[in-house]
Amino acid sequence: MHLFRRGMRDGISIALGYLSVSFSFGILSVQSGLTVWQAVLISLTNLTSAGQVAGVGLIAANASMFELFLAELVINIRYALMSLVLSQKADASFRMPHRLLASYGITDEIFAVASIQKEPVKPAYMYGLILVPFIGWSLGTWLGAAAGTILPEQITNALGIALYGMFLAIILPPARKSRAILAVISVAAVISVLLHYFVSWMSGGFAMILAALAASVFGAVFFPIPENADAKEAEA
Amino acid sequence: MNRILLAIGVMALTTYIIRMIPFTFVRKKIKSRFIQSILYYIPYAVLSAMTIPSIFYATQDLPSAIAGTVVAVVLAYFDLPLIVVALSASAAAYLAMVLLPIILK
């Protein structure tokens, strides 16, 4: 129970950021001709931002199911990499049913918080970390779809930066302590900016993964991590 | 109506399978030190690439985004809790949106 609550607490900032993003997704869905409940159903079953926006656009354009499948595959393929990283981070108590269930909640932000934990991640923590953002995401969609004009625009816009503020709060403290992490996040930021302004046809999700992979390879080459603890134990 | 439900099903299933396969079926620990190093750095690199330059567009208005970013960087530097940094960034952005037009008038 303690772990579950800790997960929920760590999920609060994510949920706040999601609230504003899903709010605009709700508005967009209704504008694209979906009903309020269809918009909410998409958020409940997909729990992803870019993929949902693209999906709603394709539904509105009467695209084929194959196009829809292909678009989701390309936009969301980054999750495969993240869930691979998390598979290495999962505690031994993460048995098959837990893995099948928790996979549903691997978003960019939930991945980031889970993967930066010092200890192996246990299912209870993961469920708490997924539950609160899941509520924020679905609730925000419903509010946006049902009453897009209730909140003043300035407040929804200001909430949009909460998520990024949280990201900075995750990466800056370790970057202060480790030159390697500082170098990796700097390289990632520079590549991301270059891709954004000079290769602007590239989709945001793809550019993000490319920048992150290049920066991580850079880190692995110049700052390889020490041999893992298991290996050390084996030697001892 | 049914077409839309089918479309939602296709979206949900595709997204789920992408997340589920590596997490559920890669159970072995990866041994290569090089791959381990990449996997170690990826979360930091992903967060950095997600934040920059997007943070400057997050409020639909550059001056307020800069105000929010500066506040977030300073508070994050001093290791304040995530939620404090996140909400302070929003509050700073909101204040900038409301106050800057008055000050600059």
Side-chain angles (χ1 to χ4, degrees):
Chain A
M1 193 58 206
H2 178 69
L3 269 179
F4 182 70
R5 280 187 18 212
R6 204 160 64 83
M8 293 211 301
R9 193 198 60 203
D10 290 351
I12 293 175
S13 328
I14 302 179
L16 284 170
Y18 279 8
L19 208 56
S20 66
V21 178
S22 60
F23 193 82
S24 29
F25 171 75
I27 297 174
L28 176 91
S29 307
V30 171
Q31 282 168 351
S32 310
L34 296 183
T35 67
V36 173
W37 294 110
Q38 286 166 344
V40 173
L41 184 64
I42 293 179
S43 282
L44 288 174
T45 54
N46 281 257
L47 198 66
T48 183
S49 56
Q52 291 189 192
V53 173
V56 165
L58 286 171
I59 291 174
N62 254 314
S64 70
M65 294 302 145
F66 183 67
E67 276 176 275
L68 205 53
F69 160 75
L70 218 55
E72 296 302 324
L73 187 67
V74 172
I75 295 170
N76 290 331
I77 196 71
R78 66 180 187 282
Y79 291 137
L81 182 69
M82 297 182 188
S83 75
L84 176 70
V85 174
L86 281 185
S87 77
Q88 301 294 302
K89 189 82 199 173
D91 185 77
S93 57
F94 243 116
R95 305 212 175 278
M96 183 74 119
H98 286 308
R99 287 185 186 242
L100 286 173
L101 192 58
S103 322
Y104 154 83
I106 300 173
T107 69
D108 298 344
E109 295 76 15
I110 290 167
F111 155 76
V113 173
S115 59
I116 279 166
Q117 298 302 311
K118 291 196 180 67
E119 267 100 60
V121 172
K122 294 206 165 82
Y125 177 78
M126 199 66 192
Y127 292 138
L129 184 64
I130 291 170
L131 180 66
V132 177
F134 166 77
I135 293 171
W137 186 248
S138 315
L139 189 68
T141 305
W142 178 68
L143 288 173
T149 49
I150 280 184
L151 275 183
E153 201 185 352
Q154 284 182 320
I155 294 198
T156 20
N157 285 347
L159 279 175
I161 205 170
L163 203 57
Y164 297 105
M166 183 190 76
F167 293 165
L168 290 174
I170 294 176
I171 59 178
L172 290 185
R176 245 180 100 181
K177 292 178 200 111
S178 153
R179 273 185 47 229
I181 293 175
L182 181 64
V184 166
I185 66 172
S186 306
V187 169
V190 168
I191 298 176
S192 170
V193 167
L194 291 178
L195 292 176
H196 185 86
Y197 292 105
F198 296 106
V199 198
S200 47
W201 50 264
M202 196 182 278
S203 85
F206 192 71
M208 186 263 280
I209 275 305
L210 195 62
L213 261 183
S216 305
V217 170
F218 162 87
V221 171
F222 292 100
F223 307 97
I225 58 168
E227 292 291 342
N228 65 28
D230 299 350
K232 262 184 218 138
E233 278 168 18
E235 281 162 21
Chain B
M1 177 63 200
N2 281 334
R3 213 188 132 268
I4 291 180
L5 283 183
L6 179 65
I8 295 175
V10 168
M11 287 166 63
L13 206 63
T14 310
T15 309
Y16 175 72
I17 288 172
I18 294 169
R19 288 166 165 160
M20 183 274 285
I21 288 178
F23 189 59
T24 306
F25 296 106
V26 183
R27 302 289 290 268
K28 266 199 207 151
K29 290 289 171 201
I30 292 170
K31 289 279 191 297
S32 151
R33 189 179 171 203
F34 183 68
I35 304 284
Q36 277 188 352
S37 298
I38 292 180
L39 298 184
Y40 172 78
Y41 288 119
I42 274 183
Y44 300 101
V46 162
L47 283 171
S48 175
M50 266 200 300
T51 305
I52 296 171
S54 304
I55 192 169
F56 299 110
Y57 301 98
T59 63
Q60 319 295 328
D61 159 62
L62 187 61
S64 66
I66 292 175
T69 305
V70 169
V71 167
V73 167
V74 171
L75 298 184
Y77 187 81
F78 290 108
D79 218 347
L80 271 93
L82 303 187
I83 182 80
V84 174
V85 179
L87 287 181
S88 308
S90 281
Y94 181 74
L95 286 178
M97 275 179 224
V98 175
L99 295 180
L100 278 184
I102 301 173
I103 297 169
L104 297 178
K105 209 190 277 178

